[in-house]
Amino acid sequence: MTNDTTKGQGIARGLTNYGDPAFSRYLRRSFASSMGYSREMLDRPIVGIAHAASGFNNCHRHFPEMIEAVKRGVLASGGLPVEFPTISLGEVFLTPTSLKFRNLMSMDVEEMVRAQPMDSVVLLGGCDKTVPAQLMGAISAGLPAIQLVAGPMSTGRHKEHRLGACTDCRRFWQQFRAGEIDQQEIDTVERKLASTAGTCAVMGTASTMASLTEAMGMMPAMGAGIPAVSADRLRMAEDTGRIAMGLIGSDLTPARIMTEQAIENAVTVLLALGGSTNAVLHLAAIAGRAGLPLDLRRLNELSDRTPVLVDLKPTGDYYMEDLHYAGGIPAVMRELRDLLHLDARTITGETIGDRIEAAEDWVDRRVIRPASDPIRETGGLVALYGNLAPNGAILKRSAADPKLFEKEARVIVFSSLEDLSQRIDDPDLDVTADDMLVLQNAGPTSGAAMPEAGYLPIPKKLARQGIKDMVRISDARMSGTAYGTIVLHVSPDAASGGPIGLLRSGDRVRLSVKDRSIEVLVGAEELAARREGHTPQRATAERGYAKLYAEEILQAERGCDFGFLVGTPVQTAGD
Ligand code: FES
């Protein structure tokens, strides 16, 4: 073994620069020895384990056990596993919203994978933004990588109800707001909603992104849905460690797995799942890192031919653990086989077509419907365009009320989240069930940084009359666990000068899902005049990450990535 390499494998990879490579290697081995490693261990190839465990992330509380299992797999295959923490994004613990920090986490993952000596990497995440951040960072880092996820929470019980975060959180909250249940009962429900480690139990953003990661081939078959608390989850972790060892020296970098075909497969699966609208943003960002576009008009084409097959909350009856036991993503993909790129490669070496062939025959048809008898004939999401959203908007039609799909109505406009919270429950608010609600200045360039606020509450006085849904329009996002006739991601957003910022209460808007359109019925001259006197409220910041965010954030159709992060992956230091 020589002492002068600047490249090579394992601990010798990407040396710290002291101007003397031999000294650098000697010093690194010496310091690594202080951790108690034997010489034999330090000569092994290294599998990094980039994990997002944190006391501020309930979904990841079982990660220590999972990390041990990954290490077993690596050690059994002759490698040295080395875990390292990255930023963690616990969905409900971050202000103003976790999306603001997804790109920061992706930069952390990218730079630490590139800067530290490892030959392949296991990405261990789960909560909503963590998996997209890890995939984005791994594409840019260019090192062979495999994704392992937390797995879903198991469901709890309240009286006769099965409970899963967080669709049932919203259902009970809505009942509380409508006066149907009292404070004591909502307090009881609060304690029971999230009862195990793991990610939200429904087809929210975390479950959707786990499913799409499997569909793109970045994890083994059945990897998305194993419950967090199952022993199978630990076996999957062990297996992941083994596979990560097999990736060392291969050409299976993330950009070679997450190709245009793989991303299109993911979009098709997303549509069939009735998955989270957030996934559209994340897939656009992932595609952007690989130098690929995610065209919303193409999403509409795929949506027109893709049936909704999976009956999970928030749109259906079941939970993520049920999808797993019903046959999982391979069973869903088998139903979609005529719509998929079957020759797309996966991290385990087989193609998507091979995985479909190997899928178990038995499928629980209550949860995964056959393509011949779908839940809906067309996909769960649709992109809308028009003078209100020149660059597009998203509607989750599978979670919406079809009676509201073709509608022209008066709008009630809230200029910000603060305005919304101050006025929405005002008994004197001039609003009827026939109106549309509009929220401005909650998009990516606003100070709110695109929170999941698109699920505007039904005004209390209407909720108490039994109104459950209204058309709601915003430049914000919506939690994957929410439902309703909700137009999201309107682009350009209000704070960057988009037309949604010119709307005024009393204007009329026409929504047509059939025509994929969203139009404000105000003359061009009047809109131009309003623009003259209008100053968009784009957020600014003096320093730090907030400044970087304010200056670099892209619009929704570009995945809200930073402009300077988009593009072709670079090679790692050791290559
Ligand atoms: Fe982590 Fe829902 S809060 S996945």
Side-chain angles (χ1 to χ4, degrees), residues 17 40 59 63 66 74 86 143 190 208 236 278 296 303 307 312 329 342 371 378 388 409 447 470 490 522 568 575:
N17 196 351
E40 188 231 319
C59 302
F63 275 12
M66 287 186 71
V74 175
T86 66
L143 192 73
E190 179 187 295
T208 304
M236 176 59 69
N278 281 317
L296 293 181
S303 197
L312 256 56
I329 297 304
L342 297 177
T378 52
L388 190 57
M470 295 171 71
V490 169
V522 173
T568 317
D575 287 340

CSV table of all heavy atoms in Angstrom, one decimal, residues 17 40 59 63 66 74 86 143 190 208 236 278 296 303 307 312 329 342 371 378 388 409 447 470 490 522 568 575:
chain,number,residue,atom,x,y,z
A,17,ASN,N,-6.1,18.6,2.0
A,17,ASN,CA,-4.9,19.1,1.3
A,17,ASN,C,-4.0,19.9,2.3
A,17,ASN,O,-4.3,20.9,2.7
A,17,ASN,CB,-5.4,20.0,0.2
A,17,ASN,CG,-4.3,20.3,-0.8
A,17,ASN,OD1,-3.1,19.9,-0.6
A,17,ASN,ND2,-4.6,20.9,-1.9
A,40,GLU,N,-7.0,-3.4,9.5
A,40,GLU,CA,-7.8,-4.2,8.5
A,40,GLU,C,-9.1,-3.5,8.1
A,40,GLU,O,-9.5,-3.4,7.0
A,40,GLU,CB,-8.1,-5.6,9.1
A,40,GLU,CG,-8.7,-6.6,8.1
A,40,GLU,CD,-10.0,-7.2,8.6
A,40,GLU,OE1,-10.1,-7.6,9.8
A,40,GLU,OE2,-11.0,-7.3,7.8
A,59,CYS,N,-40.4,11.3,13.1
A,59,CYS,CA,-40.5,10.3,12.1
A,59,CYS,C,-39.3,9.4,12.0
A,59,CYS,O,-39.3,8.3,11.5
A,59,CYS,CB,-40.8,10.9,10.7
A,59,CYS,SG,-42.2,11.9,10.7
A,63,PHE,N,-34.1,5.6,13.8
A,63,PHE,CA,-32.9,5.5,12.9
A,63,PHE,C,-31.7,4.8,13.6
A,63,PHE,O,-30.9,4.1,12.9
A,63,PHE,CB,-32.5,6.9,12.4
A,63,PHE,CG,-33.3,7.3,11.2
A,63,PHE,CD1,-34.4,6.5,10.8
A,63,PHE,CD2,-33.0,8.4,10.4
A,63,PHE,CE1,-35.1,6.9,9.6
A,63,PHE,CE2,-33.7,8.7,9.3
A,63,PHE,CZ,-34.8,8.0,8.9
A,66,MET,N,-32.0,1.3,12.7
A,66,MET,CA,-31.8,1.1,11.3
A,66,MET,C,-30.4,1.2,10.8
A,66,MET,O,-29.9,0.5,10.0
A,66,MET,CB,-32.7,2.1,10.5
A,66,MET,CG,-34.2,1.7,10.6
A,66,MET,SD,-35.2,2.8,9.6
A,66,MET,CE,-34.8,2.2,7.9
A,74,VAL,N,-23.2,-4.0,5.5
A,74,VAL,CA,-21.9,-3.5,4.9
A,74,VAL,C,-20.7,-4.4,5.5
A,74,VAL,O,-19.9,-4.9,4.7
A,74,VAL,CB,-21.6,-2.0,5.3
A,74,VAL,CG1,-20.3,-1.6,4.8
A,74,VAL,CG2,-22.7,-1.1,4.7
A,86,THR,N,-26.6,14.5,8.7
A,86,THR,CA,-26.8,15.7,7.9
A,86,THR,C,-28.0,16.5,8.5
A,86,THR,O,-28.6,16.0,9.5
A,86,THR,CB,-27.2,15.4,6.4
A,86,THR,OG1,-28.5,14.8,6.4
A,86,THR,CG2,-26.2,14.5,5.8
A,143,LEU,N,-21.9,10.2,-6.7
A,143,LEU,CA,-21.4,8.9,-6.2
A,143,LEU,C,-22.5,7.9,-6.2
A,143,LEU,O,-23.6,8.2,-5.9
A,143,LEU,CB,-20.9,9.2,-4.8
A,143,LEU,CG,-20.0,8.1,-4.1
A,143,LEU,CD1,-18.6,8.1,-4.7
A,143,LEU,CD2,-20.0,8.3,-2.6
A,190,GLU,N,-55.5,14.1,19.7
A,190,GLU,CA,-54.2,14.6,19.5
A,190,GLU,C,-53.1,13.6,20.0
A,190,GLU,O,-52.1,13.4,19.4
A,190,GLU,CB,-54.1,15.9,20.3
A,190,GLU,CG,-52.7,16.6,20.2
A,190,GLU,CD,-52.7,17.8,21.2
A,190,GLU,OE1,-53.4,18.8,20.9
A,190,GLU,OE2,-51.9,17.8,22.1
A,208,THR,N,-45.6,9.2,-0.6
A,208,THR,CA,-45.5,9.4,-2.1
A,208,THR,C,-44.1,9.3,-2.5
A,208,THR,O,-43.7,8.6,-3.5
A,208,THR,CB,-46.2,10.7,-2.5
A,208,THR,OG1,-47.5,10.7,-2.0
A,208,THR,CG2,-46.2,10.9,-4.0
A,236,MET,N,-34.6,-4.9,5.5
A,236,MET,CA,-34.4,-4.1,4.3
A,236,MET,C,-33.1,-3.2,4.5
A,236,MET,O,-32.4,-3.0,3.6
A,236,MET,CB,-35.6,-3.2,4.1
A,236,MET,CG,-35.6,-2.2,2.9
A,236,MET,SD,-35.2,-2.9,1.3
A,236,MET,CE,-36.7,-3.8,1.0
A,278,ASN,N,-47.1,17.8,-3.6
A,278,ASN,CA,-45.7,18.2,-3.4
A,278,ASN,C,-44.7,17.4,-4.2
A,278,ASN,O,-43.6,17.8,-4.5
A,278,ASN,CB,-45.3,17.9,-1.9
A,278,ASN,CG,-45.9,19.0,-1.0
A,278,ASN,OD1,-45.8,20.2,-1.4
A,278,ASN,ND2,-46.4,18.7,0.1
A,296,LEU,N,-45.1,20.2,-17.2
A,296,LEU,CA,-46.4,20.0,-16.7
A,296,LEU,C,-47.4,19.6,-17.8
A,296,LEU,O,-48.4,19.0,-17.5
A,296,LEU,CB,-46.9,21.2,-15.9
A,296,LEU,CG,-46.1,21.6,-14.6
A,296,LEU,CD1,-46.7,22.8,-14.0
A,296,LEU,CD2,-46.2,20.4,-13.7
A,303,SER,N,-51.5,12.1,-17.3
A,303,SER,CA,-52.7,12.0,-16.4
A,303,SER,C,-53.9,11.5,-17.2
A,303,SER,O,-54.7,10.8,-16.7
A,303,SER,CB,-52.9,13.4,-15.8
A,303,SER,OG,-53.7,13.3,-14.7
A,307,PRO,N,-54.8,5.5,-15.0
A,307,PRO,CA,-55.9,5.4,-14.0
A,307,PRO,C,-55.4,5.5,-12.6
A,307,PRO,O,-54.3,5.2,-12.3
A,307,PRO,CB,-56.4,4.0,-14.3
A,307,PRO,CG,-55.2,3.2,-14.8
A,307,PRO,CD,-54.4,4.2,-15.5
A,312,LEU,N,-55.9,4.8,-1.1
A,312,LEU,CA,-55.3,5.2,0.2
A,312,LEU,C,-55.8,6.6,0.6
A,312,LEU,O,-56.1,7.4,-0.3
A,312,LEU,CB,-53.8,5.3,0.1
A,312,LEU,CG,-53.0,4.1,0.8
A,312,LEU,CD1,-53.5,2.8,0.3
A,312,LEU,CD2,-51.5,4.3,0.7
A,329,ILE,N,-45.6,-1.4,-4.3
A,329,ILE,CA,-45.4,-0.7,-5.5
A,329,ILE,C,-45.2,-1.7,-6.7
A,329,ILE,O,-45.7,-1.4,-7.8
A,329,ILE,CB,-44.2,0.2,-5.4
A,329,ILE,CG1,-44.5,1.3,-4.3
A,329,ILE,CG2,-43.8,0.9,-6.7
A,329,ILE,CD1,-45.8,2.1,-4.6
A,342,LEU,N,-40.3,-0.1,-19.3
A,342,LEU,CA,-39.9,-1.4,-18.5
A,342,LEU,C,-38.4,-1.6,-18.5
A,342,LEU,O,-37.9,-2.4,-17.7
A,342,LEU,CB,-40.6,-2.5,-19.2
A,342,LEU,CG,-42.2,-2.5,-19.1
A,342,LEU,CD1,-42.8,-3.7,-19.8
A,342,LEU,CD2,-42.6,-2.4,-17.6
A,371,ALA,N,-56.1,-2.5,-13.4
A,371,ALA,CA,-56.2,-1.4,-14.4
A,371,ALA,C,-57.6,-1.5,-15.1
A,371,ALA,O,-58.1,-0.5,-15.6
A,371,ALA,CB,-55.1,-1.5,-15.4
A,378,THR,N,-58.8,8.4,-15.0
A,378,THR,CA,-57.7,9.3,-15.3
A,378,THR,C,-56.9,9.6,-14.0
A,378,THR,O,-57.4,9.4,-12.9
A,378,THR,CB,-58.2,10.6,-15.9
A,378,THR,OG1,-59.2,11.1,-15.1
A,378,THR,CG2,-58.7,10.4,-17.3
A,388,LEU,N,-54.5,33.4,-15.1
A,388,LEU,CA,-54.1,33.5,-13.7
A,388,LEU,C,-52.9,32.7,-13.4
A,388,LEU,O,-52.2,33.0,-12.4
A,388,LEU,CB,-55.3,32.9,-12.9
A,388,LEU,CG,-55.3,33.1,-11.4
A,388,LEU,CD1,-55.2,34.6,-11.0
A,388,LEU,CD2,-56.5,32.5,-10.7
A,409,ALA,N,-67.0,31.9,-10.5
A,409,ALA,CA,-67.5,32.4,-9.2
A,409,ALA,C,-66.8,33.7,-8.8
A,409,ALA,O,-65.7,34.0,-9.4
A,409,ALA,CB,-67.4,31.4,-8.1
A,447,GLY,N,-42.2,35.9,1.7
A,447,GLY,CA,-41.6,35.7,3.0
A,447,GLY,C,-42.1,34.4,3.7
A,447,GLY,O,-41.4,33.8,4.5
A,470,MET,N,-64.8,24.0,-0.8
A,470,MET,CA,-65.0,25.2,-1.7
A,470,MET,C,-63.8,25.2,-2.6
A,470,MET,O,-62.7,24.7,-2.2
A,470,MET,CB,-65.0,26.5,-0.9
A,470,MET,CG,-66.2,26.7,0.1
A,470,MET,SD,-66.0,28.1,1.2
A,470,MET,CE,-66.2,29.5,0.0
A,490,VAL,N,-49.7,28.2,-8.0
A,490,VAL,CA,-50.0,29.1,-9.1
A,490,VAL,C,-48.7,29.9,-9.4
A,490,VAL,O,-48.1,30.4,-8.5
A,490,VAL,CB,-51.1,30.1,-8.7
A,490,VAL,CG1,-51.2,31.2,-9.7
A,490,VAL,CG2,-52.5,29.3,-8.6
A,522,VAL,N,-61.2,39.4,-15.8
A,522,VAL,CA,-61.0,40.8,-15.8
A,522,VAL,C,-60.3,41.2,-17.0
A,522,VAL,O,-59.4,40.5,-17.4
A,522,VAL,CB,-60.2,41.2,-14.5
A,522,VAL,CG1,-59.8,42.7,-14.5
A,522,VAL,CG2,-60.9,40.8,-13.2
A,568,THR,N,-26.2,19.6,-14.7
A,568,THR,CA,-25.5,18.3,-14.9
A,568,THR,C,-24.6,18.0,-13.6
A,568,THR,O,-23.9,18.9,-13.2
A,568,THR,CB,-24.6,18.4,-16.1
A,568,THR,OG1,-25.3,19.0,-17.1
A,568,THR,CG2,-24.2,17.0,-16.6
A,575,ASP,N,-13.0,10.4,-8.0
A,575,ASP,CA,-13.1,9.8,-9.4
A,575,ASP,C,-12.0,10.2,-10.3
A,575,ASP,O,-11.5,11.3,-10.2
A,575,ASP,CB,-14.5,10.1,-10.0
A,575,ASP,CG,-15.6,9.3,-9.3
A,575,ASP,OD1,-15.3,8.3,-8.6
A,575,ASP,OD2,-16.8,9.7,-9.3
